Amino acid sequence: MFGCLVAGRLVQTDAQQVAEDKFVFNLPDYESINHVVVFMLGTVPFPERMGGSVYISYPDHSGMPVWQLLGFITNEKPSAIFKISGLKSGEGTQHPFGAMCLPQTPSVAQIGISVELLEQLAQQTPVANAAVSNVDSFTQFTQKMLDNFYNFASSFAVTQAQMTPNPTEVFIPSNVVLKWYENFQRRLAQNPFFWKT
């Protein structure tokens, strides 16, 4: 039903079912992992109005498991990328794996998936620094860069009457910059990766 992927490693599809609605993947040598991808295999969908909260567990200094909520997956959002580097310190959160005795060794972390109602998933708050990686940060950066460039270039705008002739300088009409700015924004909104083609 689920898969787990760490860069440079084989895909894991052998989740251990520890309860009717709980699944666990082991992540050996977790200290070297930056990101983990959790996804549905596409063979078995979640039941209607259900999804899966995704947790990570790693041993604390005393060897006890510390669970932290990373986010969730659903039939409508069947995969997610989570940043787990930097989560190795800090306190755990409330989790549904508490009553289970899951074996834990010092260098092995676990990804836990708990099947829950979508209403419950919407009320949960993942740890802040496990933010799901997505295209939004790139799009936001590009938008800020466009705004900054346009504002900077526009700050030098002068009317034709204010221009002093200088044969060594090239002038670009501000309406050309504005047209480029609007076209770039439109293309970025339609496809954030248009620049790769």
Side-chain angles (χ1 to χ4, degrees):
M1 185 170 183
F2 304 110
C4 182
L5 177 65
V6 173
R9 300 185 185 185
L10 293 173
V11 174
Q12 294 184 44
T13 58
D14 58 345
Q16 178 185 359
Q17 189 168 2
V18 294
E20 183 180 342
D21 58 351
K22 311 265 184 297
F23 302 84
V24 174
F25 288 102
N26 289 320
L27 298 178
D29 190 26
Y30 74 92
E31 294 93 348
S32 66
I33 299 172
N34 290 320
H35 294 81
V36 63
V37 180
V38 178
F39 57 95
M40 297 177 64
L41 296 175
T43 54
V44 179
F46 283 112
E48 193 171 324
R49 298 180 45 231
M50 302 293 277
S53 56
V54 180
Y55 292 83
I56 185 167
S57 168
Y58 53 89
D60 66 8
H61 62 279
S62 65
M64 296 301 296
V66 175
W67 289 90
Q68 292 183 335
L69 177 65
L70 297 175
F72 62 90
I73 57 176
T74 65
N75 290 333
E76 291 74 34
K77 182 182 165 263
S79 65
I81 303 172
F82 302 105
K83 180 179 180 189
I84 63 169
S85 59
L87 296 181
K88 294 155 182 98
S89 61
E91 297 182 14
T93 57
Q94 188 174 2
H95 60 87
F97 296 93
M100 299 173 197
C101 289
L102 301 175
Q104 190 102 29
T105 57
S107 64
V108 177
Q110 293 177 315
I111 294 291
I113 302 170
S114 175
V115 178
E116 300 171 9
L117 288 169
L118 292 175
E119 292 81 26
Q120 288 177 298
L121 296 179
Q123 296 174 12
Q124 298 174 351
T125 305
V127 290
N129 49 352
V132 178
S133 302
N134 59 25
V135 76
D136 278 348
S137 61
F138 174 75
T139 303
Q140 288 173 352
F141 167 76
T142 305
Q143 185 64 47
K144 291 284 186 192
M145 184 182 66
L146 284 172
D147 291 343
N148 185 281
F149 171 73
Y150 180 75
N151 291 336
F152 178 77
S154 297
S155 71
F156 294 98
V158 293
T159 65
Q160 271 192 326
Q162 296 170 321
M163 294 172 79
T164 54
N166 186 347
T168 61
E169 286 190 38
V170 175
F171 291 93
I172 300 170
S174 62
N175 67 335
V176 171
V177 175
L178 179 61
K179 185 176 180 181
W180 168 83
Y181 172 77
E182 290 170 345
N183 284 339
F184 198 94
Q185 278 189 318
R186 178 183 44 77
R187 292 178 72 191
L188 186 65
Q190 291 172 348
N191 177 9
F193 298 108
F194 80 90
W195 52 272
K196 286 187 173 185
T197 58

